[in-house]
Every structure is written in structure tokens, then in C-alpha cells.
Amino acid sequence: MGRRVVVTGASSGIGAATVRTFRAEGWDVVGVARRQDRLDALAAETGAEVFVADLTKQEDVDALRDHLAATGGIHALVNNAGGAHGLDSVESSSIDDWIWMYEINVIGTKRVISALLPLLRRGAAETGHADICVVTSIAGLTAYVGGGGYNAAKFAEHALTEVLRLELNGEPIRVVEVAPGMVATEEFSLVRFGGDQARRNAVYEDVPEPLSAEDVAGTIVHALTLPRHVDLDLIVVKPVAQAAPYRLHKGELSVKD
């Protein structure tokens, strides 16, 4: 029986790459995001289904649930939607930025899981198992200067994922967390810095081979295509140049004498 996966945050970056990778593996895919034009282009390119939704709005999440239930259900969910705003101190950072980060990274993930878990249980009954993958960040495992609200949101999303795994113990549903380090996508840092292209470019300047969206997508799809009894609870994936969020090598990698 074919498997159907929902990928949130599908309009760009890791989400779009994950849709492409699942489609290349023969999965039925529903890409979810806010931007209709981006989703339409992805659908035309890959043959994926798409659904427009703002995951900070309960009515949109409910509409997504109803659409999926009416069109065949699902067997896997990739909670990828998220983002960062700002790189200021805890003292000086914007409360509005913190609220936005918490809403999309934590509450949005909770909304989607609560809405779609009954469908995943039905999918598990059909195929023998179901999967939930939450894309967090190394920012949810290690604090760093300027991380503030993003650290707080991603630490919370990490905790949510760990609790969910405990709650689902005994059911044939894997809960996988993928925590990427530096990924050079076009939009993540651009959004973080309010559209400042120069600041976005400076993040990746002279970094030898930061991760690509495709690298993370491949990690996600690998985890969800392993034998169903194998659960990669937490996968931390970073470029070799990044030892930690606060320790990043710039310039050529070379062997020490």
C-alpha cells in the first residue's frame, strides 16, 4: 500500500526539498504552506498535492485535517514549519518576535499534531505503522548568544517532541526529531534579519560547505524509510565546519600538521 505524507513549511527551503525527495521515492505527498504561488509551482514540478494553510490559525489546521480525512488519510507527518526573528539579547529583543517564534515553532506544531494524530492512527492501522517527524534545530539543544527567543521556542519544541514520544509509547507510531545546524537556505536568515540580504549573506560567508536543504531532506526521508521497528529518536545534523552553534570554522578545512 502506498504511503501518504504531509510536509508543513513546504513553500521553500527544507520543506520544499523534503517534498521533492519524498516524491522521488514514490510517496504521495501533501505540501502545506501559506503561499499559494509557491505551492502551485512545487505541485507543477513534482506532482505533489498542496494545501494552503496558516498553521497559526486553528481554522486553517482544522480545514487541513478535514481535507486529508476526505481524500485518503495520511501515514506520516513532517512538522517542518518554523522560523526565527532577530538576533538580539534577551533584554533588548522584541516581545512580538518572541510571540511569533513561539506561535509558529511550538503552538503551530502542537496544533498540527493534535489535529492529525487521529488520521495517523488510522494510517497505522492500515499499513502497520505511522511516522511523525519534527524538524527542530540545534538551537533547541544548545543555547547561544543572540539565540534568546529562538532558543526558547526550539527548546520547547524539542521538549514537546520528547513528551509526545513518551505518550505514544505502545502504539506503532515513530516519533523522530531532526535537529539541523547551519543550513544555507535562501529564506531562513533573510526572514530572521527582516529581509536584509547583506546580513543574510554574511552568515554563510567563508563557511566551507554549510548544509543544503537537500541534505536535511535526505536525512528526514532516510529516517522515515527505515524498517518500521527502527526509530531514530534524535538526529543532529551539522556541517563539518560547525562544532556547535557558537563554534563555526570559516575558511578552508585542513589537516593540522
Side-chain angles (χ1 to χ4, degrees), residues 81-99:
H85 275 182
L87 198 62
D88 300 317
S89 69
V90 171
E91 178 184 15
S92 64
S93 53
S94 162
I95 288 291
D96 288 340
D97 284 349
W98 282 57
I99 291 170

Side-chain angles (χ1 to χ4, degrees), residues 42-95:
L42 187 63
E45 173 194 345
T46 64
E49 303 170 63
V50 294
F51 191 91
V52 177
D54 181 343
L55 304 184
T56 68
K57 297 179 178 178
Q58 188 62 47
E59 60 268 27
D60 282 17
V61 176
D62 291 344
L64 171 64
R65 175 202 60 208
D66 294 345
H67 168 76
L68 295 170
T71 56
I74 56 170
H75 308 94
L77 167 64
V78 177
N79 282 290
N80 168 71
H85 275 182
L87 198 62
D88 300 317
S89 69
V90 171
E91 178 184 15
S92 64
S93 53
S94 162
I95 288 291

Side-chain angles (χ1 to χ4, degrees), residues 77-158:
L77 167 64
V78 177
N79 282 290
N80 168 71
H85 275 182
L87 198 62
D88 300 317
S89 69
V90 171
E91 178 184 15
S92 64
S93 53
S94 162
I95 288 291
D96 288 340
D97 284 349
W98 282 57
I99 291 170
W100 181 85
M101 286 186 279
Y102 207 86
E103 280 284 346
I104 188 58
N105 291 288
V106 185
I107 304 302
T109 296
K110 185 269 190 284
R111 287 185 198 277
V112 173
I113 289 171
S114 291
L116 301 192
L117 190 50
L119 299 183
L120 288 164
R121 286 189 169 109
R122 292 178 207 165
E126 294 172 355
T127 63
H129 78 289
D131 294 297
I132 297 172
C133 177
V134 182
V135 181
T136 59
S137 169
I138 59 171
L141 306 172
T142 305
Y144 59 90
V145 173
Y150 190 57
N151 282 142
K154 286 300 186 181
F155 265 80
E157 191 179 25
H158 166 67

